[in-house]
Amino acid sequence: MDREPKILIYSPNDTQVYADLLQAKGYTAVGSASTPEEAAERLAGTEVLLSWKFPLHLLSRPEASSVKWIQSMGAGVDDLVSLPHIPEQIVITRIVDQFGGSIAEYVFAYLLYLNQDISRIRIAQKEKKWEPFLPGFLAGKTMGVAGLGSIGKEIAKKARAFDMSVSGLSYSGKQAHLVDQHYGPDEWRAFVQELDYLVLTLPLTDETRHVINRELLLAMKSTACLVNVGRGKLVVEEDLIDVLHSGHLQAAVLDVFYEEPLLKENPLWTLPNVYVTPHISGPSIPLEVMRFFADNVKLYLKGEPLRGVVNRNSSY
Ligand code: GLV
């Protein structure tokens, strides 16, 4: 290697795994930190940050002046772009094309569970009761995917494999061809009205924050189900809680929340038609993140455009 940038890996966990993977690829100028204190100590001279939940206040310190590029280990970068003090000249990249498969499996696990009423089957089995019933089916139902990036694309593809009708809403309209019916950002109401399932994969931006409010939730069919794998703040959480309390909506499957970990006193934990999961639908798998990052480092060293560059205006 002609030139080796000094790389700092930051993550609350798995830093050693990432460091070993990077060293196995021949990089030696690799540091790692898993607490803000360690990051503060090791930041000086760093050119490239590979990070998850980096303590962003450190970026305004003089030790951070050498940082030129931040590669996030995840898909969503709302935390990074929402902060004004990340200097414009620092390039931010996010992982793209890696989470669609696992997130789609998560979505369909819950959709099939609900339709086949697996919880009922488990209870009946425990009581040794042979009680046939007619389950629900996905075929013929309508799935709405809000956000048609690489994650939404994979969900739409799998919905089709289940013979569902697929609608989509996106802000750019670039991937409108992926769905039977496409809606733009001014058409939320028309979009949600006909859906049996609304799946949110949107990034959190100024435009998408709180788009799902009481009015929109009440415009959905009372039998519809909401799945949020995007970001908690896409939804007005209090409105969702009220609407679910009132018996509108069949279920909400939530992997993301306003505040994570979800506070013990949050009513979402105990609402019977809510499924709470701890932000696990699209895990960052070290080997895959490292494959993406190592390819990007090669491009970086050649001065070529990186993959997954975040546009500071659109925030994704
Ligand atoms: C996880 O939520 C991610 O953005 O990768």
Side-chain angles (χ1 to χ4, degrees), residues 23 33-34 84 87 95 105 111 136 139 169 182 206 212 235 241 267 279 289:
Q23 273 155 359
S34 46
I95 304 270
E105 289 202 18
L111 266 46
L169 182 143
H182 181 267
D206 289 343
I212 308 295
V235 181
I241 292 168
H279 203 139
V289 167

Side-chain angles (χ1 to χ4, degrees), residues 10-30:
Y10 184 90
S11 170
N13 29 51
D14 287 338
T15 42
Q16 197 52 48
V17 181
Y18 283 106
D20 290 348
L21 286 168
L22 203 50
Q23 273 155 359
K25 288 188 182 288
Y27 294 95
T28 51
V30 179

